[in-house]
Protein backbone atom coordinates (compact mmCIF):
# COMPACT_ATOMS: atom_id res chain seq x y z
CA UNK A 1 0.00 0.00 0.00
CA UNK A 2 1.28 3.45 -0.81
CA UNK A 3 1.57 6.34 1.62
CA UNK A 4 -1.32 8.16 -0.11
CA UNK A 5 -3.58 5.10 0.28
CA UNK A 6 -2.70 4.72 3.97
CA UNK A 7 -3.38 8.42 4.61
CA UNK A 8 -6.75 8.19 2.85
CA UNK A 9 -7.64 5.07 4.82
CA UNK A 10 -6.66 6.80 8.13
CA UNK A 11 -8.71 9.92 7.28
CA UNK A 12 -11.77 7.76 6.44
CA UNK A 13 -11.41 5.80 9.71
CA UNK A 14 -11.17 9.02 11.74
CA UNK A 15 -14.24 10.45 9.99
CA UNK A 16 -16.24 7.26 10.63
CA UNK A 17 -15.23 7.28 14.33
CA UNK A 18 -16.16 10.98 14.64
CA UNK A 19 -19.54 10.29 13.00
CA UNK A 20 -20.18 7.34 15.36
CA UNK A 21 -19.22 9.48 18.37
CA UNK A 22 -21.57 12.27 17.26
CA UNK A 23 -24.41 9.80 16.69
CA UNK A 24 -23.88 8.18 20.11
CA UNK A 25 -23.86 11.60 21.80
CA UNK A 26 -27.07 12.61 20.03
CA UNK A 27 -28.83 9.34 20.93
CA UNK A 28 -27.82 9.67 24.59
CA UNK A 29 -28.78 13.34 24.97
CA UNK A 30 -31.92 13.42 22.84
CA UNK A 31 -34.29 12.37 25.66
CA UNK A 32 -32.97 15.19 27.82
CA UNK A 33 -33.04 17.81 25.10
CA UNK A 34 -36.50 17.22 23.65
CA UNK A 35 -38.63 15.55 26.31
CA UNK A 36 -41.09 18.41 26.85
CA UNK A 37 -43.57 16.21 28.72
CA UNK A 38 -41.02 15.12 31.33
CA UNK A 39 -39.71 18.66 31.81
CA UNK A 40 -43.30 19.96 32.05
CA UNK A 41 -44.15 17.39 34.72
CA UNK A 42 -41.13 18.52 36.73
CA UNK A 43 -42.76 21.96 37.05
CA UNK A 44 -41.06 24.03 34.38
CA UNK A 45 -42.45 27.56 33.96
CA UNK A 46 -42.35 28.73 30.35
CA UNK A 47 -43.36 32.33 30.82
CA UNK A 48 -43.62 34.86 33.66
CA UNK A 49 -46.14 37.69 33.38
CA UNK A 50 -46.71 40.55 35.81
CA UNK A 51 -50.47 40.66 36.53
CA UNK A 52 -51.44 39.96 32.94
CA UNK A 53 -53.45 39.80 30.86
CA UNK A 54 -52.13 36.61 29.35
CA UNK A 55 -54.00 34.05 27.25
CA UNK A 56 -53.58 30.38 28.10
CA UNK A 57 -55.78 27.66 26.55
CA UNK A 58 -58.15 30.20 24.98
CA UNK A 59 -58.77 31.94 28.33
CA UNK A 60 -57.41 35.39 29.16
CA UNK A 61 -56.13 35.69 32.75
CA UNK A 62 -55.42 38.83 34.79
CA UNK A 63 -54.35 38.61 38.44
CA UNK A 64 -56.03 41.51 40.22
CA UNK A 65 -54.74 40.81 43.75
CA UNK A 66 -53.15 38.17 45.96
CA UNK A 67 -53.92 38.68 49.67
CA UNK A 68 -53.52 36.68 52.87
CA UNK A 69 -56.28 36.46 55.51
CA UNK A 70 -56.86 34.68 58.81
CA UNK A 71 -60.58 34.21 58.03
CA UNK A 72 -62.82 34.98 55.08
CA UNK A 73 -66.49 35.89 55.15
CA UNK A 74 -69.39 34.68 53.05
CA UNK A 75 -71.86 36.97 51.30
CA UNK A 76 -73.87 37.27 54.57
CA UNK A 77 -70.86 38.34 56.63
CA UNK A 78 -70.45 35.00 58.39
CA UNK A 79 -67.02 33.30 58.62
CA UNK A 80 -66.47 30.51 56.10
CA UNK A 81 -65.14 27.32 57.67
CA UNK A 82 -62.22 25.93 55.69
CA UNK A 83 -60.54 22.68 56.65
CA UNK A 84 -56.88 23.34 57.33
CA UNK A 85 -54.35 22.40 59.99
CA UNK A 86 -53.37 24.80 62.74
CA UNK A 87 -50.93 27.48 61.66
CA UNK A 88 -52.34 27.96 58.17
CA UNK A 89 -53.29 31.13 56.38
CA UNK A 90 -56.00 31.68 53.78
CA UNK A 91 -54.72 33.24 50.56
CA UNK A 92 -57.25 34.72 48.13
CA UNK A 93 -56.32 35.40 44.52
CA UNK A 94 -58.78 37.71 42.75
CA UNK A 95 -58.61 36.99 39.03
CA UNK A 96 -60.36 38.38 35.99
CA UNK A 97 -60.94 35.65 33.40
CA UNK A 98 -62.24 36.08 29.88
CA UNK A 99 -63.17 33.01 27.83
CA UNK A 100 -62.04 33.57 24.23
CA UNK A 101 -63.05 31.86 20.99
CA UNK A 102 -62.09 28.22 21.23
CA UNK A 103 -63.13 27.84 24.87
CA UNK A 104 -65.76 25.18 25.37
CA UNK A 105 -68.52 26.77 27.50
CA UNK A 106 -70.41 23.80 28.89
CA UNK A 107 -73.52 25.04 30.69
CA UNK A 108 -72.02 28.57 30.47
CA UNK A 109 -68.93 27.53 32.42
CA UNK A 110 -65.46 26.17 31.69
CA UNK A 111 -62.43 24.73 33.41
CA UNK A 112 -60.11 27.33 34.94
CA UNK A 113 -57.47 25.87 37.19
CA UNK A 114 -54.82 28.03 38.82
CA UNK A 115 -52.18 26.78 41.24
CA UNK A 116 -50.56 28.98 43.90
CA UNK A 117 -46.75 28.87 43.84
CA UNK A 118 -43.92 30.05 46.07
CA UNK A 119 -40.28 30.86 45.33
CA UNK A 120 -39.16 27.43 46.60
CA UNK A 121 -41.21 25.52 44.02
CA UNK A 122 -44.02 24.52 46.41
CA UNK A 123 -47.53 24.58 44.97
CA UNK A 124 -51.04 24.58 46.43
CA UNK A 125 -54.32 23.70 44.75
CA UNK A 126 -57.34 25.87 45.42
CA UNK A 127 -60.11 24.86 47.78
CA UNK A 128 -63.85 25.44 47.52
CA UNK A 129 -65.26 28.13 49.80
CA UNK A 130 -69.02 27.86 49.49
CA UNK A 131 -70.80 31.16 50.03
CA UNK A 132 -67.86 33.38 49.08
CA UNK A 133 -69.12 36.56 47.33
CA UNK A 134 -67.19 35.80 44.12
CA UNK A 135 -67.40 32.49 42.26
CA UNK A 136 -64.50 30.19 43.19
CA UNK A 137 -64.59 28.17 39.99
CA UNK A 138 -65.64 28.80 36.41
CA UNK A 139 -68.56 26.39 36.33
CA UNK A 140 -70.74 28.15 38.93
CA UNK A 141 -74.44 28.06 37.92
CA UNK A 142 -75.11 31.29 39.84
CA UNK A 143 -72.42 33.14 37.89
CA UNK A 144 -72.61 32.10 34.20
CA UNK A 145 -69.83 33.08 31.82
CA UNK A 146 -70.21 34.58 28.37
CA UNK A 147 -67.74 34.34 25.51
CA UNK A 148 -65.40 37.37 25.27
CA UNK A 149 -66.87 38.95 28.43
CA UNK A 150 -64.56 39.37 31.46
CA UNK A 151 -65.72 38.05 34.82
CA UNK A 152 -64.05 38.10 38.22
CA UNK A 153 -63.42 34.91 40.19
CA UNK A 154 -61.58 34.10 43.40
CA UNK A 155 -59.19 31.22 43.96
CA UNK A 156 -58.80 30.36 47.65
CA UNK A 157 -55.77 28.51 48.99
CA UNK A 158 -54.84 27.20 52.43
CA UNK A 159 -51.11 27.79 52.96
CA UNK A 160 -48.77 27.24 55.93
CA UNK A 161 -48.19 30.58 57.65
CA UNK A 162 -44.38 30.45 57.24
CA UNK A 163 -44.70 30.01 53.44
CA UNK A 164 -46.81 33.16 52.89
CA UNK A 165 -43.80 35.55 52.57
CA UNK A 166 -42.41 33.33 49.76
CA UNK A 167 -45.53 33.37 47.56
CA UNK A 168 -44.78 34.60 44.05
CA UNK A 169 -48.05 34.15 42.15
CA UNK A 170 -50.35 31.70 40.44
CA UNK A 171 -49.66 29.35 37.56
CA UNK A 172 -52.04 28.33 34.85
CA UNK A 173 -51.21 25.84 32.16
CA UNK A 174 -52.06 24.26 28.87
CA UNK A 175 -51.71 20.54 29.51
CA UNK A 176 -51.88 19.56 25.84
CA UNK A 177 -49.11 21.93 24.74
CA UNK A 178 -47.08 21.36 27.95
CA UNK A 179 -46.86 25.10 28.65
CA UNK A 180 -47.08 26.75 32.08
CA UNK A 181 -47.40 30.49 32.79
CA UNK A 182 -46.64 32.18 36.13
CA UNK A 183 -48.72 35.30 36.81
CA UNK A 184 -47.17 37.48 39.51
CA UNK A 185 -49.01 40.19 41.49
Amino acid sequence: MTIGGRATRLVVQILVLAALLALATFVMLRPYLSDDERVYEEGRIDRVVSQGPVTVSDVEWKLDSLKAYTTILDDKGEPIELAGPAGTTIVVASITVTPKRGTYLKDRGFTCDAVLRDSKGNTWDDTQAYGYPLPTYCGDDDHPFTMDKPAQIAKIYIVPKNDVPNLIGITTEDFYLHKRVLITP
Side-chain angles (χ1 to χ4, degrees):
M1 217 183 228
T2 65
I3 294 179
R6 287 186 184 177
T8 304
R9 182 175 171 189
L10 182 61
V11 168
V12 169
Q13 287 175 341
I14 290 173
L15 290 174
V16 168
L17 286 174
L20 287 174
L21 180 62
L23 179 64
T25 303
F26 174 75
V27 168
M28 286 178 37
L29 293 179
R30 188 177 59 129
Y32 300 105
L33 297 175
S34 65
D35 191 4
D36 281 343
E37 184 175 359
R38 182 186 55 78
V39 175
Y40 168 80
E41 289 174 359
E42 290 175 355
R44 173 192 68 199
I45 294 175
D46 299 296
R47 187 172 172 200
V48 178
V49 177
S50 178
Q51 291 185 325
V54 63
T55 302
V56 178
S57 293
D58 300 320
V59 176
E60 184 178 275
W61 295 78
K62 182 177 181 287
L63 179 60
D64 300 319
S65 68
L66 188 66
K67 296 181 181 177
Y69 299 95
T70 53
T71 59
I72 57 173
L73 304 176
D74 64 12
D75 48 5
K76 297 174 187 163
E78 299 292 322
I80 297 174
E81 295 294 324
L82 297 173
T88 56
T89 301
I90 300 166
V91 177
V92 178
S94 294
I95 306 164
T96 301
V97 293
T98 308
K100 298 291 187 179
R101 292 208 181 279
T103 303
Y104 177 62
L105 290 178
K106 180 180 180 185
D107 299 326
R108 303 201 46 181
F110 59 97
T111 302
C112 62
D113 294 328
V115 176
L116 184 65
R117 189 178 186 98
D118 73 1
S119 60
K120 298 176 183 177
N122 298 318
T123 59
W124 294 270
D125 291 326
D126 61 318
T127 186
Q128 295 299 323
Y130 299 104
Y132 194 73
L134 291 174
T136 56
Y137 56 98
C138 297
D140 192 341
D141 294 335
D142 297 333
H143 304 91
F145 288 86
T146 306
M147 194 70 70
D148 292 323
K149 184 178 178 192
Q152 195 169 30
I153 63 167
K155 292 293 185 176
I156 299 172
Y157 306 93
I158 299 174
V159 179
K161 188 176 186 176
N162 59 350
D163 288 329
V164 172
N166 300 320
L167 296 177
I168 57 173
I170 60 169
T171 59
T172 184
E173 54 195 50
D174 186 334
F175 175 76
Y176 298 108
L177 296 177
H178 301 300
K179 301 294 180 196
R180 185 175 286 119
V181 176
L182 171 66
I183 307 170
T184 62

